[in-house]
Amino acid sequence: MSACETGLAQIKKNDDMIGLVRGFLYAGIPSVIASLWKVNDLATYKLMTDFYQFLSQNKGKAESLRLAQKEMISTAAFNHPFFWSAFNLNGFGE
């Protein structure tokens, strides 16, 4: 989900985590990539484009995200962690 703060969750009084990612996982989606803070649109576009490019090469989800983040690090305009480290993989990385 390439939107802002989709990976954030709240812990309610009964200790259940409530959040968008948790909802997708409970619904049976095997994995979700979500962001932890407000993200830059252009950087997110590049990261997700690279992620899906690597995924189309039969690399696993975790590996594809890692490689896309490495591509961002090697790009002068987006090498700061703000641009690439907001996204994390939840669920299965295969």
Side-chain angles (χ1 to χ4, degrees):
M1 296 180 292
S2 53
C4 295
E5 300 174 344
T6 55
L8 298 182
Q10 295 177 343
I11 299 177
K12 297 294 183 178
K13 290 180 184 178
N14 60 357
D15 292 335
D16 284 341
M17 294 273 295
I18 305 296
L20 191 57
V21 170
R22 183 75 61 184
F24 277 103
L25 295 175
Y26 282 154
I29 303 300
S31 57
V32 176
I33 293 178
S35 66
L36 297 175
W37 54 78
K38 293 183 180 179
V39 293
N40 176 277
D41 289 339
L42 187 56
T44 300
Y45 172 78
K46 177 172 177 16
L47 181 80
M48 289 297 160
T49 301
D50 290 346
F51 169 76
Y52 283 108
Q53 180 68 33
F54 290 120
L55 198 59
S56 73
Q57 297 169 5
N58 295 319
K59 303 205 184 310
K61 296 169 197 165
E63 179 68 3
S64 294
L65 181 59
R66 185 185 74 79
L67 291 170
Q69 288 173 326
K70 281 183 66 176
E71 287 288 321
M72 298 289 285
I73 291 169
S74 67
T75 303
F78 301 119
N79 64 358
H80 191 279
F82 167 79
F83 295 109
W84 55 265
S85 65
F87 293 93
N88 60 49
L89 178 65
N90 301 272
F92 297 104
E94 299 301 317

